[in-house]
Structure formats: C-alpha cells, structure tokens
C-alpha cells in the first residue's frame, strides 16, 4: 500500500508513479495497441506474410528466444510500429506557454510568438504532412521507414512530443516512456505473428480510438519454438 502522507518529494514521486501506471501505461496502450492492430489488419495478408517471416527468422537466429537483440533486427516490424504512431499518434494535442520569445517556422512562413503566449498543436497536421511523406501521407505504408532512405523520415515522426530520432531528457518535454512504448508495440507484433500466419478483422471506432474484432485467424504453420 502506498502511503501518500510522507514528505513532499516522496509524495510527488508516488503521484508520478501512479500517473505513469494509470494514464501512461493503461490509457496510452489502450489507444496504441488497438490502433496498431487495426492498421495491420487493414494492410492484409501480404504484409502479414512479410512480418511473420521476418519475426520468426530473427527469433530462430536468437535460439528461439524473443530478445532485445532480435527485436532490433526486425526492421519491418519497427517500421510498422513507427508508421502506426505517425498515422495515429495516441496523444494528438500538445499545448504550453512559450518560455521565451521565439519564432515558429512552417513551410510557407515564420510566426512570432511572445513569451507567455499559449501554443497549441494538433499533431497529425505535422505527421500527415504531404510535403514530407508524399501522396501517401494519409495512408498506412508498413515499410515506409525501412532502409536508409526510410530511416531519414524518422525525424518527422513526432508522436512522443519530440522527434523519433531524439530521446527524452530533463531539458525537453518528450514522453519519458517513448522507447518503452515502441518496444511494447514491437513485442505485440512479435507475439501475434509467432502464433498466427495471418488474420482478418472488422475495424470500427470507439471513444478512445479503434475497435478491432477478429473474424478469422490462421495458426502459424512454421516457426521457432519460443520461450
């Protein structure tokens, strides 16, 4: 049982732990994982076959174990997760007061912001920018971030309140769970495609995002034994 009547620093730490457990972990993943599953379901069997082959090969190479090293070798799986986060970021709105006078640049102009003024951002305006991601900016492209050219686009993925190529620190407001979220999403795909070759689903919407109902699954016909 957590005692919140302790000294202030400990009380704040307990509040932060509770916030991370309830809002970040439950709330964030409740939006992220159905959205990821919906995108993969819509992409169809062609993507499923590629994911299953990549995932099972990496796990087999790791002796049948799902390791962090094996996860890093799954380039397509990583791309699918990033693409889902790009297309449908779990937290779409950001806002805050400017701490200093600053200039905000767009493709077409520069905007002056005074210290203390409120800034508000709707993230999909950036993550679906056709000038960056081309004519398929509003479509799910599973292998968008595969290869050297694909990885160059990662700096334009802002789902974590910062560039995907950067890491959270004391000096920024990037989501502290950024890397954890990406790893959990990759593991979700790994566990799915170690067990099934393909699946179909009906995709709808609910209050927090996507609603996915499986309509058929095909059990894995090959692959390594996993631990």
């Amino acid at each position: 049982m957590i005692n919140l009547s302790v000294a202030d620093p400990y009380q704040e730490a307990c509040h932060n732990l509770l916030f991370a457990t309830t809002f970040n972990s439950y709330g964030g993943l409740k939006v992220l994982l159905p959205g990821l599953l919906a995108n993969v379901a819509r992409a169809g069997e062609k993507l499923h076959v590629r994911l299953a082959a990549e995932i099972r090969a990496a796990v087999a190479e790791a002796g049948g174990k799902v390791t962090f090293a094996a996860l890093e070798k799954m380039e397509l799986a990583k791309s699918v997760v990033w693409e889902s986060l790009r297309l449908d970021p779990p937290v779409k709105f950001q806002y805050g007061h400017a701490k200093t006078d600053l200039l905000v640049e767009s493709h077409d102009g520069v905007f002056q912001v005074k210290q203390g003024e409120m800034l508000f951002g709707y993230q999909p305006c950036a993550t679906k920018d056709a000038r960056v991601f081309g004519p398929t900016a509003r479509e799910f492209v599973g292998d968008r971030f595969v290869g050297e050219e694909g990885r160059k686009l990662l700096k334009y993925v802002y789902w974590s309140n910062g560039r995907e190529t950067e890491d959270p620190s004391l000096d920024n407001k990037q989501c502290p769970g950024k890397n954890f979220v990406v790893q959990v999403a990759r593991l979700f795909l790994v566990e799915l495609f170690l067990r099934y070759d393909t699946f179909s689903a009906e995709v709808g919407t609910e209050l927090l995002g996507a609603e996915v109902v499986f309509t058929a699954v095909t059990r894995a016909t090959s692959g390594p034994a996993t631990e």
Side-chain angles (χ1 to χ4, degrees):
M1 181 175 179
I2 298 176
N3 179 11
L4 295 181
S5 63
V6 293
D8 285 347
Y10 299 101
Q11 185 173 1
E12 183 176 354
C14 289
H15 286 167
N16 287 338
L17 286 171
L18 287 171
F19 180 85
T21 302
T22 56
F23 180 81
N24 280 20
S25 296
Y26 175 75
L29 295 177
K30 183 175 176 63
V31 175
L32 168 67
L33 296 183
L36 173 62
L37 188 60
N39 285 321
V40 174
R42 291 192 187 103
E45 187 174 356
K46 186 176 180 180
L47 176 64
H48 301 175
V49 169
R50 293 176 63 195
L51 281 169
E54 177 187 77
I55 288 168
R56 294 171 194 177
V59 172
E61 188 178 338
K65 298 180 179 179
V66 179
T67 65
F68 285 112
L71 287 173
E72 286 303 311
K73 294 180 180 179
M74 301 175 190
E75 189 175 24
L76 178 60
K78 289 191 289 186
S79 177
V80 166
V81 170
W82 283 324
E83 176 70 345
S84 188
L85 288 166
R86 177 197 73 84
L87 196 64
D88 190 24
V91 180
K92 296 178 174 58
F93 310 104
Q94 289 81 35
Y95 57 90
H97 291 283
K99 294 182 178 180
T100 62
D101 292 348
L102 55 89
L103 299 176
V104 177
E105 297 184 41
S106 72
H107 292 298
D108 304 307
V110 179
F111 303 89
Q112 186 176 32
V113 180
K114 296 292 186 181
Q115 181 180 1
E117 289 184 338
M118 174 66 76
L119 288 168
F120 173 82
Y122 180 61
Q123 200 170 99
C125 285
T127 60
K128 297 179 182 179
D129 188 346
R131 298 199 195 186
V132 174
F133 296 104
T136 61
R138 294 184 175 273
E139 301 172 16
F140 178 82
V141 180
D143 57 1
R144 188 183 299 275
F145 301 105
V146 170
E148 184 177 351
E149 291 303 311
R151 287 191 293 273
K152 289 179 181 179
L153 293 173
L154 284 175
K155 64 182 178 181
Y156 300 111
V157 179
Y158 298 101
W159 73 269
S160 61
N161 205 32
R163 296 181 186 274
E164 185 62 27
T165 51
E166 299 174 354
D167 289 312
S169 74
L170 294 175
D171 301 317
N172 62 36
K173 290 191 175 183
Q174 193 164 18
C175 174
K178 166 181 170 281
N179 296 326
F180 171 77
V181 169
V182 173
Q183 287 288 55
V184 167
R186 292 177 189 171
L187 284 169
F188 180 77
L189 289 180
V190 168
E191 293 301 324
L192 179 65
F193 285 104
L194 284 176
R195 288 164 171 75
Y196 304 104
D197 285 340
T198 187
F199 68 94
S200 60
E202 294 179 354
V203 178
T205 57
E206 61 173 15
L207 180 63
L208 293 178
E211 180 181 48
V212 183
V213 178
F214 284 90
T215 56
V217 294
T218 302
R219 292 189 177 277
T221 53
S222 64
T226 60
E227 296 184 3

